[in-house]
Amino acid sequence: MNSSYIDSVSIHSYLNQYTIPSFSLVNRFQERALGNSLARTWDRVSVLGNNSDYGHAGCVNALHWAYGGELLLSAGDDTTVQIWKMDPTNTSNDYPFVCRTVIHTGHKANIFNTAMLPHSNRIVTVAGDRQVRVFDVGDNRGLSVLGQNVRQEYYASQLKTHTLRCHEDRVKRIATEESPDRFLTVSEDGTVRQHDLRTPHVCRNHCPAPLLQAHHELSTLTTSSYYCVVAGDSPYGYLFDRRFTGRERNVKAEGIVPCVRRFGRAKQRKTGRYSRDHITGARMSAENGHEVLLSYSADGVYLFSTLDDPEASGSSASSSSSSIVSPNSKRRRVSLDSRSTSSSATSSPLEIDDRSAHVQQWDGNEGEGEGEIENEDEEENDKSEEDDEKSLTEEESQGFYPWVDVVKPRRRFFGARNVETVKDVNFLGPRDEYVTSGSDDGNFFVWHKSTGKLHGIYEGDGSVVNVIEAHPYLPLVAVSGIDHTVKLFAPIDVNRKSAFSRMSNAESIIKANRKGSRSRGIRRIDLMNLLASFRASNTNGEDSNPTADCVNQ
């Protein structure tokens, strides 16, 4: 009998024994290898755009891996989108990314976010000029000219297919769906809009109704299946369920999608006259679909879950106090225990999630090094003014769905400083086992999600790190911020020393960041938002100097 046939039968029997397809087994091996690799120390392995031939001419505000990690999109203050791809002809560099395609988008202000729509060649950009632009790059993705020292440059007149002017203020984030035509955007005008490129309309006059309209500025948006979370100039992140779009519109609510949960931390002691609550970044886990990260300005990163029972918000609460069933995520893995048809009233959803069962809700108290030291030098003389401003801010922000129950955080991750610009937040790892955030000190921090312990501090920028995006399948992380370049980080051999790890100075770095967050609070962001609004109003949304140094992401 043929030996290859015997081997195939043995493999088939082995796979049948575990009732899983072969590709699933391969994926598990790949995930384990990727997880083990990321557990090692990292180092900077490449800098994109550090020569005069190509690169950005301003801060890099947006990074996006496309085509399953084959392409890396970057965009920023110079209003260009640059497409990077590995050059297989370059054997002298382990990560030979080159830029051979540049899109001059025609935006009149800084680009804040970019993404390639799935199953298409369409690239979407959003910017400070209040516009959403769509470009169809076709085959012009830099794929056909690798190995040649040629850079293709395109202008809006060549590639742009849509200019959407539905928003009335700066547009900050894009959330894609499993569609080449549909996507969501969020704006500082307080709206989230769903765009469908198959249904054209005349902007300003016949724009579709927004999915939701907040009473305050929104700056971040994240989705998982039919859920979306938005946050901004408010102490809460808001969870919306798009399955019920338009079914039941509450007269007190704005938009056509109901809010089913709020995520919020414990009330904080104010540290400055102009302090206010502001969430700069949000991210839902693509691996399990229920975990949510929120990054608070002048504070830390908080982990929430839709599986956790909320605290009731008064007798008029419209939502049930039970936890929300997690949506099917892109890489959803269901525990065998979850196949039971019912659960007892005393059992927690955490008990059927073997990767989350050990995580308990964070009670807001300091413990295991997770709390901040109280600042004993607060300005007590300004307490009355702070209380007045606090009550005004809370009255305005909490007026948005105040009857919806609040979920408290499971864990807090601290050490980074989030004051100077608007930081994003992200999960890392094949099972989202790490949490990461940029910092005003030019470093980015990586924590173990399950324990909150610090895994690494790495120098990622000469000034501030704002964006961190992991490759979907390789142990490779792209980082950007105030610098005009993109840095790539990857694990290194255990016998090598990382030149950009700052873990040896972790204690002093965290202490300095804590002091900086306490002393400066949100005041600088207040000033920068005021200046940006004044500039936008004077130019009718057109920035006369789009390549100026970025002051606020």
Side-chain angles (χ1 to χ4, degrees), residues 58 61 74 107 179 206 215 234 288 319 361 367 380 444 474 549:
N61 303 325
S74 62
H107 279 293
S179 167
H206 301 91
H215 300 165
S234 166
N288 58 47
S319 57
Q361 275 194 296
E380 298 294 342
F444 68 97
L474 299 177
D549 289 340

Side-chain angles (χ1 to χ4, degrees), residues 65 96 100 106 163 176 194 258 326 357 375 390 437 451:
W65 293 100
R100 291 292 180 260
T163 300
T176 62
Q194 180 174 358
S326 162
N375 187 350
K390 173 183 176 182
S437 172
T451 64

Side-chain angles (χ1 to χ4, degrees), residues 242-531:
R242 291 188 289 157
R243 290 174 298 177
F244 303 102
T245 300
R247 291 188 188 177
E248 183 178 348
R249 184 165 181 172
N250 192 310
V251 295
K252 297 185 293 182
E254 296 285 350
I256 58 176
V257 179
C259 178
V260 294
R261 287 291 183 270
R262 290 184 294 166
F263 301 109
R265 60 183 178 175
K267 291 185 177 180
Q268 305 293 295
R269 292 182 64 183
K270 300 300 180 181
T271 60
R273 179 178 300 179
Y274 304 107
S275 295
R276 74 173 190 270
D277 290 299
H278 187 86
I279 297 172
T280 67
R283 191 66 62 115
M284 295 193 78
S285 171
E287 191 276 333
N288 58 47
H290 68 85
E291 290 179 321
V292 179
L293 292 174
L294 296 180
S295 179
Y296 281 81
S297 184
D299 191 3
V301 174
Y302 290 81
L303 175 69
F304 302 84
S305 174
T306 61
L307 298 180
D308 293 340
D309 292 335
E311 294 182 353
S313 298
S315 58
S316 62
S318 62
S319 57
S320 169
S321 61
S322 62
S323 60
I324 299 176
V325 178
S326 162
N328 291 327
S329 62
K330 296 178 181 178
R331 292 174 283 169
R332 179 71 173 161
R333 282 182 289 274
V334 181
S335 169
L336 294 177
D337 294 338
S338 65
R339 292 181 297 185
S340 59
T341 57
S342 63
S343 59
S344 65
T346 58
S347 64
S348 166
L350 296 178
E351 295 174 358
I352 63 172
D353 190 333
D354 58 344
R355 291 182 301 282
S356 302
H358 63 286
V359 181
Q360 298 178 349
Q361 275 194 296
W362 184 61
D363 59 6
N365 297 321
E366 297 181 14
E368 299 179 357
E370 293 177 6
E372 284 198 68
I373 299 174
E374 291 290 341
N375 187 350
E376 301 295 340
D377 299 324
E378 288 188 323
E379 302 173 82
E380 298 294 342
N381 294 335
D382 295 330
K383 187 176 186 302
S384 60
E385 294 184 41
E386 290 180 30
D387 290 341
D388 291 341
E389 293 174 2
K390 173 183 176 182
S391 62
L392 177 62
T393 301
E394 291 184 347
E395 180 181 354
E396 294 173 347
S397 62
Q398 295 180 4
F400 189 54
Y401 287 101
W403 61 88
V404 175
D405 295 342
V406 179
V407 175
K408 294 302 182 181
R410 289 181 166 187
R411 176 158 285 107
R412 175 177 177 271
F413 307 90
F414 79 98
R417 186 170 76 240
N418 180 9
V419 175
E420 298 295 333
T421 59
V422 178
K423 311 290 184 306
D424 210 346
V425 66
N426 211 340
F427 291 98
L428 296 178
R431 293 192 171 185
D432 289 347
E433 56 264 50
Y434 299 101
V435 171
T436 185
S437 172
S439 178
D440 292 336
D441 58 5
N443 297 314
F444 68 97
F445 287 63
V446 183
W447 300 272
H448 291 275
K449 182 184 69 176
S450 61
T451 64
K453 292 183 179 180
L454 190 62
H455 176 62
I457 303 176
Y458 300 96
E459 181 184 326
D461 192 272
S463 299
V464 178
V465 173
N466 289 325
V467 184
I468 306 160
E469 290 290 341
H471 191 282
Y473 304 112
L474 299 177
L476 187 64
V477 178
V479 178
S480 70
I482 302 299
D483 289 350
H484 301 177
T485 57
V486 179
K487 281 82 172 180
L488 299 181
F489 284 79
I492 57 175
D493 188 80
V494 292
N495 297 321
R496 283 183 53 191
K497 182 178 180 180
S498 173
F500 290 88
S501 173
R502 299 294 176 259
M503 282 295 286
S504 59
N505 300 323
E507 185 175 351
S508 61
I509 290 173
I510 293 173
K511 184 177 181 180
N513 283 344
R514 178 184 294 123
K515 183 177 180 180
S517 295
R518 289 280 184 183
S519 63
R520 306 196 67 170
I522 200 70
R523 285 171 287 182
R524 179 174 173 83
I525 290 183
D526 284 340
L527 176 61
M528 291 187 293
N529 282 335
L530 178 63
L531 291 175

